[in-house]
Amino acid sequence: FKRRLRLIRRAAGEARDLDVLVDRLRQRWPVPTAGAPEAGRVIGLLAEQQTASRGPIRECWAELTSWDWPARQARLLKLLAELDSPRYVRFARRQMRLAGRQFFATTGPFRRAAQLHQFRIRGKRLRYSLDLFADALKPRPQARCLKRLKQMQEALG
């Protein structure tokens, strides 16, 4: 299962990188101008790559769907929601503390692109952890916190 998730993550990562790059280039050059005709060609080539990069994601999704993944996922989430054991709650809180510590340890100033990249990754992990463990956390995470993390991710790309 972990291997399959890793394949999906890698395929989605390449597609996401191309999506961000094409989007930023289109913002910079919304309409190819006479002064930058090469921009249109570059954007066109990247857009073709962007479309092709989604094929592996579709293949992974088709494989998961053939395993009846949506039903398995629903059963797992139902089981997790029903868990009220102190052991699960301790686990969830420990994971949230770890995600929070790692996130805040990577805050700026960002002197290198690698530092900003780590901040993006830690922000994503914190957001997904909040989503996953929301039922086990008391008090429940506020929607405002999740909304801010999502806004941060969109701003950072």
Side-chain angles (χ1 to χ4, degrees):
F1 179 71
K2 283 185 176 183
R3 196 171 357 113
R4 293 290 180 209
L5 286 179
R6 191 177 309 117
L7 289 173
I8 293 169
R9 189 185 73 233
R10 286 182 181 156
E14 180 182 342
R16 171 68 179 148
D17 291 347
L18 286 166
D19 289 347
V20 170
L21 180 59
V22 169
D23 184 53
R24 288 191 177 160
L25 289 173
R26 284 184 174 149
Q27 287 175 14
R28 175 76 170 99
W29 293 293
V31 178
T33 61
E38 63 281 353
R41 286 194 300 269
V42 169
I43 291 171
L45 289 171
L46 287 170
E48 288 174 18
Q49 244 185 309
Q50 183 183 26
T51 301
S53 72
R54 294 185 178 128
I57 298 170
R58 282 191 215 84
E59 290 170 14
C60 290
W61 177 248
E63 187 175 357
L64 287 174
T65 303
S66 73
W67 296 347
D68 197 23
W69 178 248
R72 288 180 182 200
Q73 178 186 13
R75 285 193 304 269
L76 175 64
L77 291 175
K78 182 180 177 192
L79 175 67
L80 290 175
E82 292 171 358
L83 284 177
D84 197 17
S85 75
R87 189 171 167 194
Y88 174 71
V89 171
R90 281 193 308 272
F91 171 76
R93 288 184 178 162
R94 192 170 44 246
Q95 294 302 310
M96 284 305 308
R97 276 193 301 273
L98 178 63
R101 266 192 247 120
Q102 289 176 341
F103 173 73
F104 288 109
T106 59
T107 57
F110 306 112
R111 291 185 174 84
R112 296 187 333 254
Q115 292 171 313
L116 183 59
H117 183 64
Q118 279 304 307
F119 182 66
R120 283 187 197 111
I121 291 169
R122 300 298 184 198
K124 188 186 327 181
R125 285 184 184 162
L126 179 60
R127 178 179 164 206
Y128 295 161
S129 295
L130 278 171
D131 281 338
L132 181 63
F133 297 124
D135 291 337
L137 301 173
K138 305 281 191 254
R140 299 185 93 177
Q142 296 183 0
R144 191 174 85 203
C145 181
L146 289 171
K147 181 180 176 183
R148 294 281 186 229
L149 284 169
K150 185 176 180 180
Q151 288 172 341
M152 180 197 72
Q153 286 178 300
E154 288 173 2
L156 292 172

